[in-house]
Amino acid sequence: MKRVSVVLCVVLSISVVAGGAIFGAAHLKAHEDATGIVKERMDNMKSFGKAVGAMSDMIKGTIAYDGLAVRQGAKTIRSHSGDELIALFPEGSMDEHSEALPTIWQDWTRFSDLAAKLQTRAGALEAAADSQAAFMPAFIDLTDTCTACHTKFRQKQED
Ligand code: HEC
């Protein structure tokens, strides 16, 4: 029972993390029109969403556990988070396509801490990928970081 509720909870939180912007048609159109650094960071986030989405399919059991794919997905996130992530958010960089909130620059320390934490946790997931048992808690830690940042620094999704 306990295991089932943990899995359900993870799957629910993943739809918050990877949902909306990826699957919502209205958002998709607006996002295709994005340009410059806003587009760059959206593409970066989309690659995170894709990696997390594949891992959530493994948890749901729609695809088999694949340690190599987990390691590669975690590596993508690790190598594009931390300093590389924050470099895509120069002060005041918002436009009509962007869902970034101005609180990013009001609380830059917290924003950069979360970007750094994402990198550490993606590294831990990469290291845990060979074992499905170790994967689960490392995956939860990682997606908690996505959610923490989106809750504070990204506009709420309508869908
Ligand atoms: C340090 C903060 C932070 C972290 C950590 C973070 N994100 Fe984001 N994410 C954002 C912000 C801010 C936006 C909105 C960017 C914009 O629209 O300009 C965003 C947007 C997105 C989008 C929408 C992209 C689009 O098409 O516009 C997806 C998908 C996404 N993030 C997935 C993830 C996933 C998955 C993780 C964790 C593996 C993650 N993010 C971690 C801050 C973060």
Side-chain angles (χ1 to χ4, degrees), residues 21-81:
I22 286 187
F23 304 111
H27 276 112
L28 214 59
K29 188 175 184 315
H31 290 203
E32 275 166 4
D33 294 341
T35 53
I37 202 145
V38 169
K39 175 164 179 17
E40 238 183 278
R41 70 191 181 214
M42 282 176 175
D43 288 347
N44 192 32
M45 288 289 168
K46 271 187 223 163
S47 72
F48 293 178
K50 204 173 152 218
V52 164
M55 293 177 210
S56 79
D57 285 345
M58 294 174 203
I59 293 171
K60 285 186 266 184
T62 47
I63 55 175
Y65 186 75
D66 179 348
L68 185 61
V70 169
R71 197 171 334 123
Q72 281 167 345
K75 188 179 171 197
T76 299
I77 298 171
R78 177 180 54 73
S79 57
H80 297 289
S81 49

Coordinates of all heavy atoms in Angstrom, one line a residue, residues 21-81:
A21 N 2.9 22.9 -20.4 CA 3.7 23.5 -21.5 C 4.0 22.5 -22.6 O 4.1 22.9 -23.7 CB 4.9 24.1 -20.9
I22 N 4.3 21.3 -22.2 CA 4.7 20.3 -23.2 C 3.5 19.8 -24.0 O 3.5 19.8 -25.2 CB 5.3 19.1 -22.6 CG1 6.7 19.5 -22.1 CG2 5.4 17.9 -23.5 CD1 7.5 18.4 -21.6
F23 N 2.4 19.6 -23.3 CA 1.2 18.9 -24.0 C 0.1 19.9 -24.3 O -0.7 19.6 -25.1 CB 0.7 17.8 -23.1 CG 1.8 16.8 -22.7 CD1 2.2 16.7 -21.4 CD2 2.3 16.0 -23.7 CE1 3.2 15.8 -21.1 CE2 3.3 15.1 -23.3 CZ 3.8 15.0 -22.1
G24 N 0.1 21.1 -23.8 CA -1.0 22.0 -24.0 C -0.8 22.7 -25.3 O 0.2 23.3 -25.6
A25 N -1.8 22.6 -26.2 CA -1.7 23.2 -27.6 C -1.5 24.7 -27.5 O -0.7 25.3 -28.3 CB -2.9 22.8 -28.4
A26 N -2.3 25.4 -26.7 CA -2.2 26.8 -26.6 C -0.8 27.3 -26.2 O -0.3 28.2 -26.9 CB -3.2 27.3 -25.6
H27 N -0.2 26.6 -25.3 CA 1.1 27.0 -24.9 C 2.1 26.7 -26.0 O 3.0 27.5 -26.3 CB 1.5 26.2 -23.6 CG 1.1 26.8 -22.4 ND1 0.1 26.3 -21.6 CD2 1.4 28.0 -21.8 CE1 -0.1 27.1 -20.6 NE2 0.6 28.2 -20.7
L28 N 1.9 25.5 -26.6 CA 2.9 25.1 -27.6 C 3.0 26.1 -28.7 O 4.1 26.5 -29.1 CB 2.3 23.8 -28.2 CG 3.4 22.8 -28.6 CD1 4.2 22.4 -27.4 CD2 2.8 21.5 -29.2
K29 N 1.9 26.7 -29.2 CA 2.0 27.7 -30.2 C 2.8 28.9 -29.8 O 3.7 29.3 -30.5 CB 0.6 28.1 -30.6 CG 0.6 29.0 -31.9 CD -0.8 29.3 -32.4 CE -0.7 30.1 -33.7 NZ 0.3 31.2 -33.7
A30 N 2.4 29.4 -28.6 CA 3.1 30.6 -28.1 C 4.6 30.3 -28.0 O 5.5 31.1 -28.3 CB 2.6 31.0 -26.8
H31 N 4.9 29.1 -27.6 CA 6.3 28.8 -27.3 C 7.1 28.6 -28.6 O 8.3 28.9 -28.7 CB 6.4 27.5 -26.4 CG 6.0 27.8 -25.0 ND1 6.4 27.1 -24.0 CD2 5.2 28.8 -24.6 CE1 5.8 27.6 -22.9 NE2 5.1 28.6 -23.2
E32 N 6.4 28.1 -29.7 CA 7.1 28.0 -30.9 C 7.5 29.4 -31.5 O 8.5 29.5 -32.2 CB 6.2 27.3 -32.0 CG 6.3 25.8 -31.8 CD 5.2 25.1 -32.6 OE1 4.4 25.7 -33.2 OE2 5.1 23.9 -32.4
D33 N 6.8 30.4 -31.1 CA 7.1 31.8 -31.6 C 8.2 32.4 -30.8 O 8.7 33.5 -31.1 CB 5.9 32.7 -31.5 CG 4.8 32.2 -32.5 OD1 5.2 31.4 -33.4 OD2 3.6 32.6 -32.3
A34 N 8.6 31.8 -29.7 CA 9.6 32.4 -28.8 C 11.0 32.5 -29.6 O 11.2 31.7 -30.5 CB 9.8 31.6 -27.5
T35 N 11.7 33.5 -29.2 CA 13.0 33.7 -29.9 C 14.1 34.0 -28.8 O 13.8 34.2 -27.7 CB 13.0 34.9 -30.8 OG1 12.6 36.0 -30.1 CG2 12.1 34.7 -32.0
G36 N 15.4 34.0 -29.3 CA 16.5 34.4 -28.5 C 16.7 33.6 -27.2 O 16.4 32.3 -27.2
I37 N 17.1 34.2 -26.2 CA 17.5 33.5 -24.9 C 16.2 32.8 -24.3 O 16.4 31.8 -23.7 CB 18.2 34.4 -24.0 CG1 19.1 33.6 -23.0 CG2 17.3 35.4 -23.2 CD1 20.3 34.3 -22.6
V38 N 15.0 33.4 -24.5 CA 13.8 32.8 -23.9 C 13.6 31.5 -24.6 O 13.3 30.5 -24.0 CB 12.6 33.8 -24.1 CG1 11.3 33.1 -23.8 CG2 12.8 35.0 -23.2
K39 N 13.8 31.4 -25.9 CA 13.6 30.2 -26.6 C 14.6 29.2 -26.2 O 14.3 28.0 -26.0 CB 13.7 30.4 -28.2 CG 13.6 29.1 -28.9 CD 13.3 29.3 -30.4 CE 13.2 28.0 -31.2 NZ 13.1 26.7 -30.5
E40 N 15.9 29.7 -26.1 CA 17.0 28.8 -25.6 C 16.7 28.1 -24.3 O 16.9 26.9 -24.1 CB 18.2 29.6 -25.5 CG 19.4 29.2 -26.4 CD 20.6 30.0 -26.1 OE1 20.7 31.1 -26.6 OE2 21.4 29.6 -25.3
R41 N 16.2 28.9 -23.4 CA 15.9 28.3 -22.0 C 14.7 27.4 -22.1 O 14.6 26.4 -21.4 CB 15.9 29.3 -20.9 CG 14.7 30.2 -20.9 CD 14.9 31.3 -19.9 NE 13.8 32.2 -19.9 CZ 13.9 33.5 -19.7 NH1 15.1 34.1 -19.5 NH2 12.8 34.3 -19.6
M42 N 13.7 27.8 -22.9 CA 12.5 26.9 -23.0 C 12.9 25.5 -23.6 O 12.5 24.5 -23.2 CB 11.5 27.5 -24.0 CG 10.7 28.6 -23.3 SD 9.6 29.3 -24.5 CE 8.6 30.4 -23.5
D43 N 13.8 25.6 -24.7 CA 14.3 24.3 -25.3 C 15.0 23.5 -24.3 O 14.9 22.3 -24.2 CB 15.2 24.6 -26.5 CG 14.3 25.1 -27.7 OD1 13.1 25.0 -27.6 OD2 14.9 25.7 -28.6
N44 N 15.8 24.2 -23.4 CA 16.6 23.5 -22.4 C 15.6 22.8 -21.4 O 15.8 21.6 -21.1 CB 17.5 24.5 -21.7 CG 18.5 23.9 -20.8 OD1 19.0 22.9 -21.1 ND2 18.8 24.6 -19.7
M45 N 14.6 23.6 -21.0 CA 13.7 23.0 -20.0 C 12.9 21.9 -20.7 O 12.5 20.9 -20.0 CB 12.7 24.1 -19.6 CG 13.3 25.1 -18.6 SD 13.6 24.4 -17.0 CE 14.6 25.7 -16.3
K46 N 12.6 22.0 -22.0 CA 11.9 20.9 -22.7 C 12.7 19.6 -22.7 O 12.1 18.6 -22.5 CB 11.5 21.4 -24.1 CG 10.2 22.1 -24.2 CD 9.9 22.3 -25.7 CE 9.3 23.7 -25.9 NZ 9.3 24.2 -27.2
S47 N 14.0 19.8 -22.8 CA 14.8 18.6 -22.8 C 14.8 17.9 -21.4 O 14.8 16.7 -21.3 CB 16.2 18.9 -23.3 OG 16.9 19.6 -22.3
F48 N 14.7 18.8 -20.4 CA 14.5 18.2 -19.0 C 13.2 17.5 -18.9 O 13.1 16.4 -18.4 CB 14.5 19.3 -17.9 CG 15.8 20.1 -17.8 CD1 15.9 21.2 -16.9 CD2 16.9 19.8 -18.5 CE1 17.1 21.9 -16.7 CE2 18.1 20.5 -18.3 CZ 18.2 21.5 -17.4
G49 N 12.1 18.1 -19.4 CA 10.8 17.6 -19.4 C 10.7 16.2 -20.1 O 10.1 15.3 -19.6
K50 N 11.4 16.1 -21.2 CA 11.4 14.9 -22.0 C 12.1 13.8 -21.2 O 11.6 12.6 -21.1 CB 12.2 15.2 -23.3 CG 11.8 14.2 -24.4 CD 12.5 14.6 -25.7 CE 12.7 13.4 -26.6 NZ 13.9 13.4 -27.3
A51 N 13.3 14.1 -20.6 CA 14.0 13.1 -19.8 C 13.2 12.6 -18.6 O 13.0 11.4 -18.4 CB 15.3 13.7 -19.3
V52 N 12.6 13.6 -17.9 CA 11.7 13.2 -16.7 C 10.5 12.4 -17.2 O 10.1 11.5 -16.5 CB 11.4 14.5 -16.0 CG1 10.2 14.3 -15.0 CG2 12.6 15.1 -15.2
G53 N 9.9 12.8 -18.3 CA 8.7 12.1 -18.8 C 9.0 10.7 -19.1 O 8.2 9.8 -18.8
A54 N 10.2 10.4 -19.7 CA 10.6 9.0 -20.0 C 10.7 8.2 -18.7 O 10.3 7.1 -18.6 CB 11.8 9.0 -20.8
M55 N 11.3 8.9 -17.7 CA 11.5 8.2 -16.4 C 10.2 7.9 -15.7 O 10.0 6.9 -15.1 CB 12.5 9.0 -15.5 CG 13.9 9.1 -16.1 SD 14.9 10.1 -15.0 CE 16.1 10.8 -16.2
S56 N 9.3 8.8 -15.9 CA 8.0 8.6 -15.2 C 7.2 7.5 -15.9 O 6.5 6.8 -15.3 CB 7.2 9.9 -15.2 OG 6.6 10.2 -16.4
D57 N 7.4 7.3 -17.2 CA 6.8 6.2 -17.9 C 7.4 4.9 -17.4 O 6.7 3.8 -17.3 CB 7.1 6.2 -19.4 CG 6.2 7.3 -20.1 OD1 5.2 7.7 -19.5 OD2 6.5 7.7 -21.3
M58 N 8.7 4.9 -17.0 CA 9.3 3.7 -16.4 C 8.6 3.4 -15.0 O 8.4 2.2 -14.7 CB 10.8 3.8 -16.2 CG 11.5 3.9 -17.6 SD 13.3 4.3 -17.3 CE 13.7 5.0 -18.9
I59 N 8.3 4.4 -14.3 CA 7.7 4.3 -13.0 C 6.3 3.7 -13.2 O 5.9 2.8 -12.5 CB 7.7 5.6 -12.2 CG1 9.2 5.9 -11.8 CG2 6.9 5.4 -10.9 CD1 9.3 7.3 -11.2
K60 N 5.6 4.3 -14.1 CA 4.2 3.9 -14.4 C 4.2 2.5 -15.0 O 3.1 1.8 -15.0 CB 3.5 4.8 -15.3 CG 3.1 6.1 -14.7 CD 2.3 7.0 -15.6 CE 3.2 8.0 -16.3 NZ 2.5 9.0 -17.2
G61 N 5.3 2.0 -15.5 CA 5.4 0.7 -16.1 C 5.0 0.6 -17.6 O 4.9 -0.5 -18.1
T62 N 4.7 1.8 -18.2 CA 4.4 1.8 -19.6 C 5.6 1.4 -20.5 O 5.5 1.0 -21.6 CB 3.7 3.1 -20.1 OG1 4.5 4.2 -19.6 CG2 2.3 3.2 -19.5
I63 N 6.8 1.7 -19.9 CA 8.0 1.2 -20.6 C 8.9 0.6 -19.5 O 8.8 0.9 -18.4 CB 8.8 2.3 -21.4 CG1 9.2 3.5 -20.5 CG2 8.1 2.8 -22.6 CD1 10.1 4.5 -21.2
A64 N 9.7 -0.4 -20.0 CA 10.6 -1.1 -19.0 C 11.7 -0.2 -18.5 O 12.1 0.8 -19.1 CB 11.2 -2.3 -19.7
Y65 N 12.1 -0.5 -17.3 CA 13.2 0.3 -16.7 C 14.5 0.1 -17.6 O 14.8 -1.0 -18.0 CB 13.5 -0.2 -15.3 CG 14.6 0.7 -14.6 CD1 14.2 1.9 -14.1 CD2 15.9 0.3 -14.5 CE1 15.1 2.8 -13.6 CE2 16.9 1.2 -14.0 CZ 16.5 2.4 -13.5 OH 17.4 3.3 -13.0
D66 N 15.1 1.3 -17.9 CA 16.2 1.3 -18.7 C 17.3 2.2 -18.1 O 17.3 3.4 -18.2 CB 15.8 1.8 -20.1 CG 16.9 1.9 -21.1 OD1 18.1 1.8 -20.7 OD2 16.6 2.1 -22.3
G67 N 18.2 1.5 -17.4 CA 19.3 2.2 -16.6 C 20.1 3.2 -17.5 O 20.5 4.3 -17.1
L68 N 20.4 2.7 -18.7 CA 21.2 3.5 -19.6 C 20.4 4.8 -20.0 O 21.0 5.9 -20.0 CB 21.5 2.7 -20.9 CG 22.5 3.4 -21.9 CD1 23.8 3.6 -21.2 CD2 22.6 2.5 -23.1
A69 N 19.1 4.7 -20.3 CA 18.4 5.9 -20.7 C 18.2 6.8 -19.5 O 18.3 8.0 -19.6 CB 17.0 5.4 -21.1
V70 N 18.1 6.3 -18.3 CA 18.0 7.1 -17.1 C 19.4 7.9 -16.9 O 19.4 9.1 -16.7 CB 17.8 6.2 -15.8 CG1 18.0 7.0 -14.5 CG2 16.3 5.7 -15.8
R71 N 20.5 7.1 -17.1 CA 21.8 7.8 -16.9 C 21.9 8.9 -18.0 O 22.4 10.0 -17.6 CB 22.9 6.7 -17.0 CG 24.2 7.3 -16.5 CD 25.3 6.3 -16.3 NE 24.9 4.9 -16.2 CZ 25.3 3.9 -17.0 NH1 26.1 4.2 -18.0 NH2 24.9 2.7 -16.8
Q72 N 21.5 8.6 -19.2 CA 21.7 9.7 -20.2 C 20.8 10.9 -19.9 O 21.2 12.0 -20.1 CB 21.4 9.1 -21.6 CG 22.6 8.3 -22.1 CD 22.2 7.4 -23.3 OE1 21.0 7.2 -23.6 NE2 23.2 6.9 -24.0
G73 N 19.5 10.6 -19.5 CA 18.6 11.7 -19.2 C 19.1 12.5 -18.0 O 19.1 13.8 -18.1
A74 N 19.6 11.9 -17.0 CA 20.2 12.6 -15.9 C 21.4 13.4 -16.2 O 21.6 14.5 -15.8 CB 20.5 11.6 -14.8
K75 N 22.2 12.8 -17.2 CA 23.4 13.6 -17.6 C 23.0 14.8 -18.4 O 23.6 15.9 -18.2 CB 24.2 12.6 -18.5 CG 25.6 13.2 -18.9 CD 26.3 12.3 -19.7 CE 27.6 13.0 -20.3 NZ 28.2 12.3 -21.4
T76 N 22.0 14.7 -19.2 CA 21.5 15.9 -19.9 C 21.1 17.0 -18.9 O 21.5 18.2 -19.1 CB 20.2 15.5 -20.8 OG1 20.6 14.5 -21.7 CG2 19.6 16.7 -21.5
I77 N 20.4 16.6 -17.9 CA 19.9 17.6 -16.9 C 21.1 18.2 -16.1 O 21.3 19.4 -16.0 CB 18.9 17.0 -15.9 CG1 17.6 16.6 -16.7 CG2 18.5 18.0 -14.8 CD1 16.6 15.7 -16.0
R78 N 22.0 17.3 -15.7 CA 23.2 17.7 -15.0 C 24.0 18.7 -15.8 O 24.4 19.8 -15.3 CB 24.1 16.5 -14.6 CG 25.4 17.0 -13.9 CD 26.3 15.8 -13.5 NE 26.7 14.9 -14.5 CZ 27.5 15.2 -15.5 NH1 28.1 16.4 -15.6 NH2 27.8 14.3 -16.4
S79 N 24.2 18.4 -17.1 CA 25.2 19.2 -17.9 C 24.5 20.6 -18.3 O 25.2 21.5 -18.7 CB 25.7 18.5 -19.1 OG 24.7 18.0 -19.9
H80 N 23.2 20.7 -18.2 CA 22.5 21.9 -18.6 C 21.9 22.6 -17.4 O 21.0 23.5 -17.5 CB 21.5 21.7 -19.7 CG 22.2 21.2 -20.9 ND1 23.0 22.0 -21.7 CD2 22.1 20.0 -21.5 CE1 23.4 21.2 -22.7 NE2 22.9 20.0 -22.6
S81 N 22.3 22.3 -16.2 CA 21.7 23.0 -15.0 C 22.9 23.8 -14.3 O 23.8 24.1 -15.0 CB 21.1 22.0 -14.0 OG 21.9 20.9 -13.7

